[in-house]
Amino acid sequence: MAVFSLRTKVVLDSAARRCDGLGMRLFALTALVMIAFAANSVLNRMAVHDAGWGPAATGFVRLSSGALVLLALAIRAKGAAGLRLPPAILGAGVATLALYIFGFSIASGLIDAGVGALTLFGMVQITMFAGALWMREPISRWRWIGAGLAFAGLAVLLLPASGAAHIDPRGFAMMALAGIGWGLYSLNGRRAGNPLIATALNFSLAAPLALIWMLGAGDWGQGASWGWLPAILSGAVTSGLGYALWYRVLPQIPASLAAIAQLSVPLIAALGGAVVLAETPSARFWLAAALVIGGIALSLKRKT
């Protein structure tokens, strides 16, 4: 009996160590994805603002490099024959992704990375809330309060200010437009089935639209030659590989934990902007961040 108990203890201890190892691995992968998402704001800011690249050229490089990576991963997972989506879902995905890239790329040259990520994050929340109203989904009291706080946080960002605390209203408007695009893209993605295939196809078909934008704007060749590096990194690594890794991790963690983890993205972006771009967040940013992130956290409560 003692030998049996000892063997049982060994087996249980071994299983616990494996569970702990898996938990730490999931935590590390989730943290890596959040850093990748936040890095998009920093990398695009580097390309458009610091290197002086045109937003259309940056958007095209990001979409095309991301499409190559995502297509390779999707074909490896499902084969070329598996790259299919219903036309209505595909069309809506391409249009809303293009809207996101358009607003995001322009705004990256006008507002700081942390402010941009916070604005994007807040508008995604508000757009998805509006989508829930449109589709007549049941909305809890906490989600109403959360959406109101997120909206108040974005309003705080636009309060009249002087000096370094001033936020370019055009940049804010373009990032808000990007947030609407990404929110609509996320709502449409609920119908897409396989998210990796949907994202690969959406990136691939949105890239020609960015090319048309780039040629029409005539902004290719502007800025420093090193600007291609953050643009490609944003597309191939932090977007392409980042989304692919997120879709791999997402089924392994609770939906509430996935949503809460994304609360860290604006804060990581602000930290990255401070370290890489020397953009120091103002006190007003932190107040707005507390309202937006607190509002989103409240909206995750399940109770009415």
Side-chain angles (χ1 to χ4, degrees):
M1 188 71 176
V3 173
F4 176 79
S5 299
L6 180 60
R7 287 179 178 175
T8 302
K9 183 177 183 301
V10 170
V11 170
L12 291 175
D13 287 346
S14 177
R17 283 194 297 271
R18 284 197 298 272
C19 289
D20 289 343
L22 289 173
M24 288 301 297
R25 181 172 175 270
L26 280 176
F27 175 82
L29 291 176
T30 302
L32 183 61
V33 172
M34 296 306 106
I35 292 171
F37 289 170
N40 271 326
S41 296
V42 177
L43 291 169
N44 279 266
R45 178 73 170 162
M46 289 175 65
V48 180
H49 181 265
D50 290 11
W53 268 39
T58 304
F60 170 69
V61 171
R62 180 183 177 189
L63 282 171
S64 55
S65 58
L68 289 174
V69 171
L70 288 163
L71 278 175
L73 293 173
I75 291 173
R76 181 181 179 186
K78 296 293 183 178
L83 299 181
R84 292 196 189 95
L85 274 182
I89 295 176
L90 182 58
V94 171
T96 52
L97 177 61
L99 180 64
Y100 158 73
I101 290 291
F102 175 78
F104 190 89
S105 299
I106 294 175
S108 293
L110 300 173
I111 55 177
D112 291 355
V115 173
L118 184 63
T119 304
L120 178 75
F121 207 72
M123 282 307 302
V124 169
Q125 161 71 7
I126 292 170
T127 301
M128 296 190 73
F129 177 81
L133 282 177
W134 177 264
M135 293 182 286
R136 298 183 179 181
E137 294 180 2
I139 299 175
S140 71
R141 174 182 59 188
W142 288 112
R143 195 168 182 190
W144 277 102
I145 295 172
L149 283 176
F151 183 82
L154 295 182
V156 165
L157 283 178
L158 288 179
L159 288 175
S162 59
H166 174 72
I167 295 174
D168 188 309
R170 182 167 172 256
F172 178 89
M174 286 293 100
M175 192 59 82
L177 185 66
I180 293 172
W182 192 256
L184 293 174
Y185 183 82
S186 300
L187 289 170
N188 182 68
R190 293 178 175 179
R191 308 180 298 160
N194 188 303
L196 178 59
I197 289 176
T199 307
L201 291 174
N202 289 328
F203 264 67
S204 300
L205 295 179
L209 298 180
L211 177 60
I212 294 171
W213 175 30
M214 183 185 72
L215 295 175
D219 69 4
W220 182 259
Q222 295 178 1
S225 60
W226 59 267
W228 65 269
L229 180 59
I232 288 180
L233 287 175
S234 176
V237 180
T238 57
S239 291
L241 293 178
Y243 295 153
L245 182 58
W246 181 234
Y247 297 142
R248 182 178 177 183
V249 171
L250 199 55
Q252 304 179 58
I253 60 178
S256 58
L257 179 59
I260 291 171
Q262 293 179 72
L263 298 179
S264 65
V265 172
L267 303 182
I268 298 171
L271 179 61
V275 172
V276 179
L277 305 173
E279 297 174 348
T280 304
S282 65
R284 184 170 53 146
F285 168 83
W286 294 116
L287 174 60
L291 289 170
V292 171
I293 295 173
I296 296 173
L298 280 178
S299 73
L300 297 175
K301 290 177 68 69
R302 292 184 178 275
K303 295 182 180 179
T304 59

